[in-house]
Amino acid sequence: MATERVDKAWQQRGIDCYSPEAIVATLAHYGVTTDEASFKARAAESFPLAIAMTWHEHWKGTGQFSRFPAAAAEELWRRWLPGQIAPTDVALAVINLIKDLANLLDEKKDEGTLETRFKVVEAYLPSIPTASPRRDMFIGEMVGAMSDWMEPLDGMGEALVKKKHDAVADRFVAIEEALITQRRGVASAIVQSERGDRPGAVQAFSAIALDSTRDFWNRLSALDALFDFEENELAKQAALPLFDDAEKTKDLEQLSAVVERLAHLLEVDPAMPERNALRARIEKLADELRPAGEED
């Protein structure tokens, strides 16, 4: 008896119409071997899209099956890990919420789904991993799945306040800050400013940016807000300690991000007293981190 496999109509029918055995057999046919035990072992360390990326290293499928690994990983996760949410589950729920909120902003009639959209996302929040690096992997996949929807997410709270939907804005910002660590305190301060308390918002940005107990990227987000509000002196006071911290750890990603902000600061304040000293530190650090044998 021939082994059951997923047919070429899977994208039209939906992969959920096929059995796990058919999905596994199709993976094997195109170069990927897995089973329930090995999949669960991988799932303890990563999430569906990361699993699919490793499968793609050996993938021989083309045409209708060129993107099969991602769909297969998502479906096997649902079948073999019932009750465990995937990053794409949250991404889709947030996108649906943003769509309904956009309709609210456009004064379109609520079809009775907005409250449901909120409840679905809020129900997911307690199940999202809280400890790094697993949380970082989860949110990374969620953000990747949301893609272009991240921009409307960033501005939704402010937009809702502008249209006087204050309670809805607060509820949305609470979700945003629960999901995106770097936005914690920053998104709510932006809403605070939109409500007329700019000094309070600026004070909040500065406090976050200077708080060494906070996540680096959260502090950097607050620094960016100071730049957006053209509070360059406060931005300088926050940027220099961030540079000190990144310089100590020699984290290339963090250093690159801070140096980019410092370059902007030097551009908007060419008379800054620390200008020459900062340039010297940046150049010295670049020399130290440059791979051996690489010329300027």
Side-chain angles (χ1 to χ4, degrees):
M1 182 176 177
T3 303
E4 178 191 7
R5 291 210 309 261
V6 173
D7 57 49
K8 292 182 179 181
W10 72 272
Q11 289 171 301
Q12 289 73 41
R13 293 183 61 194
I15 197 170
D16 58 318
C17 293
Y18 301 88
S19 68
E21 293 76 16
I23 295 170
V24 169
T26 305
L27 287 169
H29 179 74
Y30 289 108
V32 170
T33 301
T34 192
D35 57 26
E36 185 171 353
S38 61
F39 185 88
K40 286 181 175 179
R42 285 196 175 194
E45 302 294 332
S46 55
F47 293 99
L49 294 183
I51 293 171
M53 286 179 66
T54 64
W55 288 350
H56 267 293
E57 295 173 8
H58 310 285
W59 192 244
K60 299 175 183 177
T62 59
Q64 294 96 327
F65 289 97
S66 60
R67 298 183 180 181
F68 185 76
E74 291 280 349
E75 187 61 25
L76 292 176
W77 183 285
R78 284 189 282 270
R79 302 288 185 92
W80 288 339
L81 298 164
Q84 290 195 35
I85 62 171
T88 48
D89 295 331
V90 181
L92 180 59
V94 174
I95 289 169
N96 286 335
L97 173 59
I98 290 172
K99 287 178 179 177
D100 271 22
L101 291 172
N103 287 337
L104 178 65
L105 292 174
D106 291 339
E107 299 181 4
K108 294 180 180 178
K109 181 182 178 182
D110 177 16
E111 299 296 335
T113 58
L114 181 57
E115 179 63 20
T116 300
R117 303 296 192 201
F118 264 114
K119 286 182 176 178
V120 169
V121 177
E122 289 165 345
Y124 277 139
L125 297 180
S127 300
I128 294 173
T130 56
S132 294
R134 190 157 179 83
R135 177 185 171 82
D136 296 338
M137 290 188 292
F138 187 101
I139 298 300
E141 283 202 10
M142 184 202 78
V143 169
M146 289 187 63
S147 187
D148 294 342
W149 289 96
M150 288 302 298
E151 185 175 347
L153 180 147
D154 287 344
M156 183 56 71
E158 187 177 8
L160 288 165
V161 171
K162 284 180 179 178
K163 289 293 186 77
K164 307 302 180 185
H165 298 294
D166 289 88
V168 178
D170 288 340
R171 191 173 180 184
F172 182 80
V173 167
I175 289 171
E176 180 184 358
E177 293 189 354
L179 288 173
I180 313 298
T181 304
Q182 68 191 65
R183 297 286 288 171
R184 289 180 181 170
V186 178
S188 51
I190 290 173
V191 164
Q192 180 180 354
S193 175
E194 186 58 39
R195 286 176 173 146
D197 185 10
R198 178 189 168 98
V202 170
Q203 184 178 8
F205 297 145
S206 186
I208 293 168
L210 289 167
D211 187 352
S212 61
T213 66
R214 283 183 177 255
D215 173 76
F216 173 88
W217 301 104
N218 186 203
R219 295 171 66 193
L220 193 75
S221 179
L223 173 62
D224 286 342
L226 289 171
F227 280 128
D228 290 342
F229 277 57
E230 298 183 349
E231 295 287 347
N232 294 328
E233 183 56 35
L234 289 175
K236 181 181 75 173
Q237 294 172 19
L240 295 176
L242 272 172
F243 186 37
D244 291 340
D245 292 347
E247 193 176 27
K248 288 173 187 174
T249 63
K250 289 189 168 49
D251 183 304
L252 291 178
E253 188 177 7
Q254 292 183 6
L255 279 167
S256 176
V258 179
V259 168
E260 181 182 344
R261 272 69 174 183
L262 289 173
H264 175 69
L265 194 58
L266 291 171
E267 185 177 310
V268 299
D269 186 9
M272 189 171 70
E274 300 90 346
R275 182 183 185 87
N276 291 335
L278 265 179
R279 283 191 178 281
R281 284 177 66 188
I282 292 170
E283 289 171 3
K284 181 176 181 292
L285 194 59
D287 289 338
E288 290 176 0
L289 297 176
R290 186 176 294 114
E294 184 178 310
E295 298 295 332
D296 288 337

